Amino acid sequence: MKCSLRRWQMSDANNLARALNNQTIHGNLRDGLPFPYTVADAQAYIQSVAKAEFAFAITVDDRAVGSISALRKENIHFRTAEIGYYIAEEYWGKGLMTKAVQQLCDYVFTTSNIVRIFAEPFAKNHSSCRVLEKAGFELEGILRKNAQKNHQLLDMKLYSLIRQEEDAQDDNNQKGDTL
């Protein structure tokens, strides 16, 4: 089974609503998504990300089965992006999410000036943590009691992937002026 990334299409709304009408998926995402998740919710989401820099449908045989995006940060963090993703439960454990994360990161690094992509999954979401590890992300630390979800204080893990390129200057600015 092979997955691909493509821009969202309004015709994906039914598949998106079907994937997100899952309490287990909702339990691992940040708040803000309605539940139950309707086709109208899906249409509004697709319209809202139509011009987003890095927001894609994860597809199998051109059928939307999940979502993945990287949100560029602002101000002094403008070369950093946060990745977020989910996939329909029927596609869990098939390696598709890892491939989608790798595809998105390759795309971000080759089409933009972003040098750091990070993710903050709930520490209890072992599958999401494993996806990041298999995609080459490194664990930077545990953010203790960093979020409240469903009336529980939860730890989160901080993972990052750094672009390995000669033109990605490090924090010592070694390619810049010398002192």
Side-chain angles (χ1 to χ4, degrees):
M1 189 175 309
K2 183 180 180 219
C3 75
S4 300
L5 305 185
R6 67 161 165 73
R7 296 288 177 184
W8 283 100
Q9 301 167 359
M10 201 52 74
S11 59
D12 296 326
N14 286 331
N15 290 330
L16 176 58
R18 192 174 311 115
L20 276 179
N21 258 329
N22 180 311
Q23 194 63 45
T24 305
I25 291 174
H26 270 261
N28 287 305
L29 297 176
R30 293 182 180 176
D31 291 342
L33 293 173
F35 190 83
Y37 194 85
T38 67
V39 172
D41 296 323
Q43 291 169 335
Y45 172 77
I46 292 168
Q47 187 173 11
S48 75
V49 298
K51 295 183 180 175
E53 190 175 13
F54 306 113
F56 300 96
I58 301 169
T59 65
V60 173
D61 298 326
D62 203 41
R63 178 177 166 253
V65 299
S67 180
I68 190 165
S69 64
L71 178 62
R72 182 188 292 268
K73 296 305 183 181
E74 297 177 349
N75 203 308
I76 62 170
H77 302 288
F78 73 100
R79 296 190 70 189
T80 298
E82 182 177 10
I83 191 172
Y85 49 83
Y86 57 84
I87 196 163
E89 190 168 7
E90 66 194 85
Y91 294 95
W92 292 2
K94 300 181 185 312
L96 297 176
M97 197 72 252
T98 299
K99 287 180 176 62
V101 168
Q102 291 168 328
Q103 288 175 37
L104 179 66
C105 292
D106 288 346
Y107 180 78
V108 169
F109 286 151
T110 59
T111 63
S112 75
N113 65 347
I114 290 174
V115 297
R116 181 177 191 273
I117 301 173
F118 75 96
E120 295 179 349
F122 295 124
K124 67 179 184 136
N125 188 346
H126 303 292
S127 297
S128 186
C129 294
R130 186 69 185 127
V131 162
L132 294 165
E133 292 163 1
K134 288 181 356 187
F137 281 69
E138 291 185 31
L139 177 64
E140 292 186 350
I142 307 293
L143 305 169
R144 299 178 314 148
K145 302 205 181 306
N146 192 51
Q148 182 172 327
K149 177 77 177 178
N150 297 328
H151 309 291
Q152 290 184 304
L153 283 173
L154 300 175
D155 293 348
M156 298 177 85
K157 291 186 174 182
L158 176 60
Y159 286 90
S160 71
L161 182 67
I162 308 298
R163 177 165 68 189
Q164 300 299 315
E165 228 178 77
E166 290 177 18
D167 68 349
Q169 295 178 2
D170 68 17
D171 57 355
N172 293 322
N173 198 24
Q174 291 176 353
K175 292 195 79 163
D177 295 338
T178 57
L179 298 177

